[in-house]
Amino acid sequence: MTAIGPTVGRGGAPTANTTTGLAGVYLTVHTPRYCTYDAAFAGKLAHPNFQAVRDGLVAQGSHVGTLAPDVVVINSCHLISTFPTVVDGTPRHTGILTAQEAPELIHGVAYDVPGDFELAAAMIERGRAAGLQCTLANDVHYPLDYGTVMPLVCYLDRAQRIPAVPVSVCLSADLHESFAWGRHIARAAAALGRRAAFVASGSVSHKLVRGPEQWPGAAEQELDHRLARLLADGEYDKAWAWLPEYAEAAEPEMGGRHLAMMLGALIETGRRFDATVHAYGPSSGSGNYVISLAC
């Protein structure tokens, strides 16, 4: 099985504009073998099956650089909370990451990324007003997970200059609550005049097997491709209506909560975004899409 080639939707690289609110949306990848320093910076890959996604992540980083957002709001499937959704407003995220899940691959990764407390607090205010259980983190000891650090440090913002606001995936939140958070994120960014990028960091189909080079099954790949086509065609409402069925059949990472939040953010804008589908590839039986969307 081979990866589909990079395809472009209605547009390619983003163009500079003064749009406030949600200026870009990124479905990205954090699987360890794509996101080691060797893979990211030296292009040393453990298997040829990883090449397309690695190159797609490099292209996605260029896309972010051209978009030049004021802030990145990133929802990682490895920043997990149980009851409240956690929004991390720490003014500066600093630390050294060794991933508990994969210490042999991700270890001693230093990060030093600015935050945006004002935006994080505004998101929490909107969530609470809507009756959603949530917590604002403001603590230099609150660690970042590898699903947040590795895409940003290795690909999306190698210079670590763009302020980042991490948002948890909440186990007690269903798809509808996750979708609502996406809407609050877009609203808060617009109200503060931020040109924000939203990043959903996670796999699509996620039926894991041992063997990092293994592809998803044919049925799961087709489901992933259908989701990507809906995003590329700007059919966000159709994607949202289909998401529960897709989540049950494809078993995306964290139940597809990151996808619901992404769709909530997109739909809230009321706009269609130019889409670039950079790559699709495997990791231990999961499907991994790299897709960039910009106004």
Side-chain angles (χ1 to χ4, degrees), residues 120-270:
M123 290 161 52
I124 288 290
E125 183 178 357
R126 288 176 178 273
R128 287 176 178 162
L132 302 178
Q133 194 172 135
C134 52
T135 296
L136 176 64
N138 179 11
D139 189 337
V140 294
H141 303 294
Y142 189 71
L144 298 187
D145 65 290
Y146 82 78
T148 297
V149 171
M150 297 312 292
L152 292 180
V153 171
C154 286
Y155 294 104
L156 303 187
D157 181 24
R158 289 177 170 178
Q160 301 182 58
R161 292 175 181 167
I162 304 171
V165 176
V167 180
S168 73
V169 165
C170 179
L171 296 177
S172 297
D174 60 13
L175 293 177
H176 288 277
E177 186 171 332
S178 301
F179 178 87
W181 272 109
R183 303 193 82 154
H184 292 312
I185 289 165
R187 290 169 183 167
L192 290 177
R194 300 285 199 277
R195 292 186 64 255
F198 178 82
V199 176
S201 174
S203 298
V204 279
S205 60
H206 200 63
K207 298 180 180 181
L208 298 181
V209 298
R210 283 177 167 163
E213 77 285 354
Q214 296 300 314
W215 284 83
E220 286 71 31
Q221 290 191 50
E222 179 51 41
L223 290 167
D224 291 345
H225 298 338
R226 179 178 171 186
L227 178 66
R229 286 193 293 269
L230 289 171
L231 291 174
D233 291 342
E235 300 284 2
Y236 313 135
D237 289 310
K238 288 183 179 179
W240 170 232
W242 181 57
L243 187 63
E245 180 184 342
Y246 168 77
E248 182 175 357
E251 299 178 15
E253 193 165 7
M254 288 304 299
R257 290 171 176 85
H258 63 307
L259 303 174
M261 197 176 294
M262 175 183 70
L263 288 168
L266 283 166
I267 289 171
E268 175 59 29
T269 69

